[in-house]
């Protein structure tokens, strides 16, 4: 029987071992136990692509189900509120003999709806239905968790409607949770726009890279359990190559594992080099290409100027490479930090938020040309 590759380098896929998020899950479990009004029941997970937001939503959903809660798991596409309202109806109908933790998904309704705004009578209707459902769930000591991924993509009017209903439920001390995830800048914009002042009260968890020693231990366990031999020195190299960045943990694991299988089940030096090379190429072609492509030309030029450094970049030096003054340079910096592309690493220094970004940029045609057309930053 061929053993399956245990690593999961796919957006939203559950990793074989969750690295470094135990505290967050624990916090959420406590909020569930504390019930209505616990701050963690209104949470937003933010961070760059591939940092593990969708996986984290899955973790809190599982925690809710283990506590006997009902979970409605949604991605913020058009028709969000209508689908949640439908799921609430399904859940109410299924309640029958009382609640058991279950995930309400696959509600039979097309994925795209044009009527994103519910007519008022129906809105009132679903608000009352969800209130009834939560009252019953509360009597059984459980509740309802609504999770919404990619909230940056949501129609503003839908989000404000959802927020208004959840706010009402919380005010009534009903056991409801709302867990959301999105890109940091998009979430900042959303909250700043005043879509809902209520959502500004959400606990904000900005997800970061995990620690290298924890990655090493996760690799050790996963390789061992799947019958691939790897020595300590190679484990150190593998863990370091990921920078603790979750998507890269899966990519590196996947490709090195696959090369090791071809080499007879051992992570040899050749298998390691070949695997890392493949992982970096995939990283460039997926996450980095789309993150970079989504930026304006001026923001891209800031990143290209940073890539000339081998480590964290002095913001003063980057500004001078671009031929702009510090104040102007600071505006790029703020925007790129908000976009999750770079991070401040100390006074006057910034670095890439995602590993292998530097190598990726050095490989792009525009690298080193220092073409820069200062428009409005
Ligand atoms: N804590 C973690 N430990 C190990 N791998 C993880 C972890 N969180 C996410 N991953 C992996 O990283 C990749 C990206 O996760 P995902 O949740 O889709 O990120 P995001 O939603 O932030 O873009 C997936 O392959 C997933 O299996
Ligand atoms: Mg995601």
């Amino acid at each position: 029987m061929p053993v399956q590759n245990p690593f999961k380098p796919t957006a939203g896929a559950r990793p074989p071992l969750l690295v470094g998020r135990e505290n967050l899950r624990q916090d959420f479990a406590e909020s569930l136990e504390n019930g209505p009004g616990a701050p963690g029941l209104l949470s937003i997970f933010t961070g760059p692509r591939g940092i593990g937001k969708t996986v984290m939503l899955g973790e809190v959903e599982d925690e809710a189900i283990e506590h006997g809660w009902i979970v409605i798991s949604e991605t913020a596409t058009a028709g969000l509120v209508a689908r949640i309202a439908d799921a609430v109806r399904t859940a109410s109908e299924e309640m029958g003999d009382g609640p058991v933790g279950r995930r309400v998904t696959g509600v039979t309704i097309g994925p795209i709806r044009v009527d994103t705004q519910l007519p008022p009578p129906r809105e009132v209707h679903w608000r009352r239905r969800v209130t009834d459902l939560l009252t019953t769930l509360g009597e059984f000591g459980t509740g309802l968790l609504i999770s919404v991924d990619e909230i940056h993509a949501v129609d503003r009017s839908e989000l404000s409607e959802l927020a208004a209903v959840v706010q009402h439920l919380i005010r009534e001390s009903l056991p409801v949770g709302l867990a959301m995830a999105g890109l940091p800048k998009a979430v900042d914009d959303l909250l700043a726009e005043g879509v809902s002042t209520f959502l500004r009260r959400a606990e904000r968890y900005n997800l970061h890279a995990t620690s290298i020693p924890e990655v090493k231990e996760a690799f050790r366990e996963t390789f061992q359990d799947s019958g691939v031999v790897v020595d300590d020195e190679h484990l150190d190299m593998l863990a370091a190559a990921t920078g603790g960045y979750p998507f890269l943990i899966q990519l590196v694991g996947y490709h090195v594992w696959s090369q090791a299988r071809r080499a007879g089940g051992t992570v040899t030096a050749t298998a390691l080099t070949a695997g890392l090379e493949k992982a970096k190429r995939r990283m460039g072609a997926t996450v980095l290409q789309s993150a970079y492509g989504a930026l304006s030309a001026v923001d891209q030029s800031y990143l290209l100027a940073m890539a000339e450094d081998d480590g964290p970049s002095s913001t003063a030096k980057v500004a001078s490479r671009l031929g702009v003054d510090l104040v102007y340079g600071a505006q790029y910096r703020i925007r790129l930090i908000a976009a999750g592309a770079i991070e401040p690493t100390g006074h006057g220094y910034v670095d890439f938020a995602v590993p292998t970004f530097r190598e990726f940029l050095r490989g792009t045609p525009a690298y080193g040309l220092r073409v820069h057309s200062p428009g409005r930053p």
Side-chain angles (χ1 to χ4, degrees):
M1 265 290 278
V3 184
Q4 255 188 357
N5 194 320
F7 293 96
K8 303 280 177 231
T10 308
R14 288 305 185 79
L17 273 179
L18 187 75
V19 183
R21 305 282 190 234
E22 293 81 5
N23 287 346
L24 292 184
R25 187 161 166 166
Q26 195 50 43
D27 278 3
F28 190 75
E30 261 175 46
S31 297
L32 288 168
E33 279 147 29
N34 290 333
L41 290 180
L42 183 59
S43 292
I44 306 186
F45 298 100
T46 58
R49 282 184 189 79
I51 202 74
K53 299 179 295 296
T54 301
V55 163
M56 201 56 230
L57 281 182
E59 288 294 309
V60 302
E61 289 169 14
D62 284 358
E63 196 60 46
I65 288 171
E66 279 175 26
H67 279 75
W69 283 45
I70 288 181
V71 171
I72 295 177
S73 175
E74 268 299 337
T75 294
T77 48
L80 169 76
V81 173
R83 287 195 306 275
I84 293 175
D86 262 42
V88 164
R89 198 194 49 227
T90 308
S92 307
E93 285 166 2
E94 282 187 4
M95 280 274 295
D97 300 332
V100 274
R102 73 182 75 170
R103 194 185 295 254
V104 183
T105 48
V107 175
T108 50
I109 190 160
I112 297 164
R113 286 176 67 101
V114 261
D115 56 323
T116 53
Q117 247 178 331
L118 289 172
R122 204 165 139 198
E123 184 190 328
V124 171
H125 199 59
W126 98 267
R127 185 189 283 225
R128 192 171 53 232
R129 185 174 275 137
V130 72
T131 305
D132 290 348
L133 174 67
L134 285 171
T135 307
T136 313
L137 289 173
E139 286 162 8
F140 286 94
T142 69
L144 169 73
L145 174 71
I146 299 172
S147 88
V148 185
D149 202 358
E150 319 241 335
I151 49 165
H152 45 270
V154 75
D155 180 296
R156 302 302 198 244
S157 68
E158 293 214 47
L159 189 64
S160 66
E161 185 190 336
L162 177 63
V165 171
V166 171
Q167 179 172 23
H168 159 81
L169 298 168
I170 289 178
R171 213 184 293 127
E172 301 288 305
S173 292
L174 289 167
V176 68
L178 179 60
M180 296 158 283
L183 298 171
K185 167 153 171 45
V187 169
D188 285 344
D189 290 352
L190 199 83
L191 298 180
E193 271 172 30
V195 170
S196 154
T197 48
F198 163 71
L199 287 183
R200 289 192 202 150
R201 282 192 243 145
E203 292 276 309
R204 178 83 175 258
Y205 296 99
N206 200 18
L207 299 181
H208 291 285
T210 61
S211 89
I212 308 291
E214 283 184 83
V215 174
K216 181 182 172 185
E217 287 321 305
F219 273 151
R220 191 198 299 283
E221 206 176 314
T222 310
F223 276 99
Q224 212 161 49
D225 290 353
S226 55
V228 167
V229 180
V230 55
D231 66 27
D232 202 64
E233 188 194 344
H234 284 163
L235 276 174
D236 277 326
M237 293 164 73
L238 288 180
T242 69
Y245 174 74
F247 186 48
L248 209 43
I249 298 174
Q250 300 309 315
L251 277 176
V252 163
Y254 186 89
H255 290 289
V256 172
W257 191 95
S258 149
Q259 294 294 323
R261 291 289 291 188
R262 282 178 218 180
T266 301
V267 178
T268 58
T270 330
L272 185 131
T273 312
L276 284 183
E277 196 43 54
K278 280 205 156 175
K280 283 184 184 168
R281 265 210 310 276
R282 288 304 303 154
M283 176 76 185
T286 54
V287 174
L288 299 178
Q289 188 61 58
S290 63
Y292 182 69
L295 298 170
S296 69
V298 281
D299 286 349
Q300 290 179 346
S301 68
Y302 195 93
L303 295 181
L304 289 168
M306 278 178 64
E308 294 183 27
D309 295 309
D310 292 326
S313 301
S314 143
T315 54
K317 273 199 194 142
V318 172
S320 102
R321 281 175 200 155
L322 293 170
V324 300
D325 64 36
L326 282 175
V327 177
Y328 193 85
Q331 310 206 31
Y332 295 73
R333 191 179 70 234
I334 291 164
R335 243 188 354 245
L336 287 165
I337 292 172
I342 66 174
E343 285 173 346
T345 53
H347 192 65
Y349 279 82
V350 286
D351 201 356
F352 294 100
V354 170
T356 74
F357 215 159
R358 180 177 291 108
E359 289 103 298
F360 168 80
L361 291 166
R362 286 180 176 181
T364 61
Y367 176 68
L369 299 180
R370 294 200 183 174
V371 179
H372 176 246
S373 49
R376 272 182 56 78

